[in-house]
Amino acid sequence: MTAIVGMALGKRDVPTELPSKEATTASFLLPGLAGKFGGGNSPTTSTESSIVSRLCKTTWAIIGGLQTTAEQWRSKLTRDTDLVAKCIQTRAVQWRSKMTRDKDLVSKFICALYKQYLAVHFTYMEINMDAKTGASLKLTTLFAGGGASVVYSDTNCALGDSSEVVGSSELVGKPGAGDDSPTFSPVVTATTESSTASLFSKTTRAIIWGLQSRAVQGMMDFDFVCGREQPSVACMVYPMSPGDSKQNFYWGHKEVLVPIYKSMADAMAAFPDVDVLISFASLRSAYDSTLECLEFKQIRTIAIIAEGIPENYTRKLIKEADKKNVTIIGPATVGGVKPGCFKIGNTGGMMDNILHSKLYRPGNVAYVSRSGGMSNELNNMISQTTNGVYEGVAIGGDRYPCSTFMDHLLRYQASPEVGMLVLLGEVGGTEEYQVCEAIKSGVLTKPIVAWCIGACADMFPTDVQFGHAGASAGASEETASAKNKALAEAGAEVPTSFDELGEKIGEVYRKLVIAGTIVPKAELPPPPVPMDYNWARELGLIRKPASFMTSICDERGQELLYAGIPITEVFKQDLGIGGVLSLLWFQRRLPPYACKFLEMCLMITADHGPAVSGAHNTIVCARSGKDLVSSLVSGLLNIGDRFGGALDGAAAQFTEAFDSGLIANDFVNKAKKEGVLIMGIGHRVKSLNNPDMRVVVISEYAKEHFPCTPLLDYAREVEQITTKKKPNLILNVDGCIALCFVDLLRHSGFFTKDEAENIIKTGSLNGLFVLGRSIGFIGHFLDQKRLKQGLYRHPWDDISYVLPEINQ
């Protein structure tokens, strides 16, 4: 079972000791298992208890393995596996009430888990493992997704008493109406006249259909570790791209550019040496793109990764490929690999898996499989029990694969480098019988180890439809058991179960080595391949200073955080705009009166009519036909010491004078002597006789709600002196807001003196004016667009033309 977990996850060292939860797996997974799913605490026989224990142990091994891998790889996987486990636990109570004691234990166990699979399948938690391991196993697919799940089902049933497993409709696949024919009929009969030419070599180059950056980088890393002189990827084709371009990838330590073409014809013309196309096109476009590719005579091999292509289209592709002597691998496949030479897309998984399976150099064992995920496990098995893989192909799980078992086995038979063959078939179809005939007739003479997965289908009275479209036995001869028997009778080496497949491969290999048929070569270490930075960082192998840091917001989790506060809490607690500003600008929750003050500042500074320079520029820009952002920026650029930007200056100037102990009169005299303006004092329109009500509102609120307002009081003393000179030298709104804000920072109890000074120095106060006035500038822009105002031209009579008098 640990081998299955390793296969499913692309993980080699799966611990035999399960998590501590294993002891309570039965009660955790399905309460009432001890009572046959409905007997409560009814006793069970020791045999039944043993079956239950082993079944639960198997299931927990899968879930536990996924969780262990998730912790090492992706936090998202952890969340999803936890959800699966939680769903199974929740549904257990419902299952127990429906199950009866008189039905078979093992059958009901499988059916219950399959129900749960159906319940969670359409929540779209599918985590495709292709990019990580080369497998096509989906996280939520327990019994109905690919060859790996078929092996899992086989093992589960093998752990129970198969003689007592009776009919259950839960796993029954229902064939289409009137479909009485076998589920698979071979389209092409393999003969000795089939092409035996090698598909791939160390100089093979390919065109990739689709923007599959991770797959391309994986292929180039494989090429590098195999010692190729140039990358196997020549270019990419993507008709939906805006135009021809290039994308950078790594070739060892160096970066190279790979062209991207909009037209397949342009790609073919640019790279006449290319003879392989790897299609990552979706099921909707794979047929048309493959037909287009077949028009180019230089292409000899096509790999179609997509699954779900209509069977009628696949049969048409088979006929077209036969006419033009083109080999098509797929559809519904991960591809194939020729160690030391070439690999298709994500075959073989990540670099650690490739190195572990020794795919960087050829061995003497060639295999062919239906399942892409199982081909990854074959790489593992063969590398551990022999000198490695010479070539491996997954023909795909659809009913009508474009190339057959025999197509590839005949190539292996003709290759002098191949010492033995491995065949991994599955329930459904009759292709394995062609292999039997080839063995009997002497067409295949090399030793072959074969096994067909899906033996558990025999335990049910009607057809079982597994994940692959072709994995359903429509007739008795299409069952896995019948084909395994036929293969054994024909002379193939057939193990008793999938768990013994690796041992059987090793046994045959050792005999060939003893006989001298296979001569193992000295092992050469592969060149080191730089690890991808993101992957190394996830594994905790490296650390690097961040390009920049942030401490106010985090959008990476399930919910947006403002200074650590979830966005939902911002609304639940009705923090308002002032509360959000306190979090994002000051990283703390300010009291309600402070948040209200911030909101008042925004409201008061929102606009001051169209005549001020900022609004005027915004209006002129809007009437010139510019967009909102351009018009807004045109107005904001006017903000400075003379317009709106006096908040920071006023705060700094008054704070310095106040802290140094200058009385108001000395402060005014000092400014006059130094010839500097007192920021925050003076207004063009407002005066003592025409007070600015904005200043009145702000100062009255501060006096009423702030703990104390020493700086505001100091400014009022300065105002009494300056207005004696001119009545318009009053405390203006910029100065009032700035000094009230400093009082808030210093005396609210939420900031230290140093923090308050830093906030003033960093321009936070001007930020209030910029944010508030942006509201008004946008309003002026929208108003001009609403009024459909034309291009602005200043009238001549409002301009005084004063030209210099120059003697001519």
Side-chain angles (χ1 to χ4, degrees), residues 100-111:
T100 56
R101 295 181 59 188
D102 56 338
K103 290 191 176 182
D104 181 80
L105 182 65
V106 177
S107 177
K108 285 181 292 185
F109 185 90
I110 297 174
C111 295

Side-chain angles (χ1 to χ4, degrees), residues 627-706:
D627 60 279
L628 187 148
V629 174
S630 300
S631 301
L632 174 61
V633 170
S634 175
L636 291 175
L637 289 176
N638 285 268
I639 296 176
D641 291 345
R642 294 190 177 185
F643 169 65
L647 280 79
D648 286 329
Q653 202 172 12
F654 274 88
T655 300
E656 180 183 0
F658 181 80
D659 290 344
S660 63
L662 285 177
I663 62 175
N665 189 56
D666 291 344
F667 173 48
V668 174
N669 292 334
K670 181 175 183 250
K672 181 180 179 181
K673 183 178 180 180
E674 294 176 353
V676 297
L677 296 175
I678 300 177
M679 307 300 291
I681 295 293
H683 200 282
R684 278 187 171 273
V685 178
K686 300 299 179 179
S687 64
L688 281 177
N689 301 322
N690 181 24
D692 190 342
M693 296 308 297
R694 298 176 298 173
V695 175
V696 174
V697 171
I698 287 290
S699 58
E700 287 182 352
Y701 182 85
K703 296 296 290 184
E704 180 180 353
H705 295 90
F706 287 14

Side-chain angles (χ1 to χ4, degrees), residues 143-358:
F143 291 97
S149 59
V150 181
V151 174
Y152 178 72
S153 300
D154 284 352
T155 305
N156 256 349
C157 289
L159 287 174
D161 188 353
S162 59
S163 64
E164 295 181 3
V165 175
V166 295
S168 172
S169 62
E170 298 293 344
L171 282 172
V172 173
K174 295 178 172 56
D179 187 5
D180 296 327
S181 61
T183 58
F184 182 87
S185 298
V187 178
V188 180
T189 302
T191 67
T192 56
E193 298 176 359
S194 299
S195 173
T196 57
S198 176
L199 298 181
F200 314 116
S201 69
K202 204 150 190 170
T203 59
T204 297
R205 304 199 75 200
I207 292 175
I208 309 298
W209 199 105
L211 297 180
Q212 292 290 324
S213 301
R214 181 171 291 183
V216 171
Q217 186 60 67
M219 291 177 65
M220 297 182 77
D221 287 343
F222 177 84
D223 299 338
F224 183 79
V225 80
C226 291
R228 286 181 56 122
E229 294 182 358
Q230 64 176 342
S232 61
V233 178
C235 66
M236 294 184 282
V237 173
Y238 191 60
M240 281 69 75
S241 63
D244 294 350
S245 60
K246 293 184 179 181
Q247 185 171 340
N248 62 310
F249 292 93
Y250 285 104
W251 174 250
H253 294 272
K254 300 184 299 182
E255 283 192 271
V256 296
L257 294 175
V258 175
I260 301 174
Y261 293 95
K262 187 177 180 69
S263 165
M264 188 179 295
D266 292 343
M268 296 290 181
F271 296 95
D273 60 324
V274 165
D275 61 356
V276 175
L277 181 121
I278 301 173
S279 175
F280 285 94
S282 68
L283 62 91
R284 294 177 296 278
S285 56
Y287 174 72
D288 292 333
S289 59
T290 304
L291 282 182
E292 181 185 3
C293 179
L294 287 171
E295 296 300 319
F296 298 93
K297 294 182 179 180
Q298 68 189 75
I299 296 299
R300 308 310 314 150
T301 306
I302 300 174
I304 304 176
I305 309 301
E307 57 182 321
I309 299 176
E311 294 175 0
N312 185 41
Y313 286 177
T314 305
R315 294 159 97 170
K316 291 178 181 179
L317 289 177
I318 293 172
K319 291 183 178 180
E320 288 298 317
D322 287 345
K323 290 179 185 178
K324 301 184 178 184
N325 196 27
V326 174
T327 299
I328 297 181
I329 300 173
T333 180
V334 72
V337 61
K338 188 169 185 180
C341 296
F342 183 83
K343 88 176 183 106
I344 297 173
N346 295 313
T347 305
M350 298 188 69
M351 184 52 59
D352 56 346
N353 197 55
I354 289 171
L355 296 177
H356 181 88
S357 299
K358 301 177 182 178

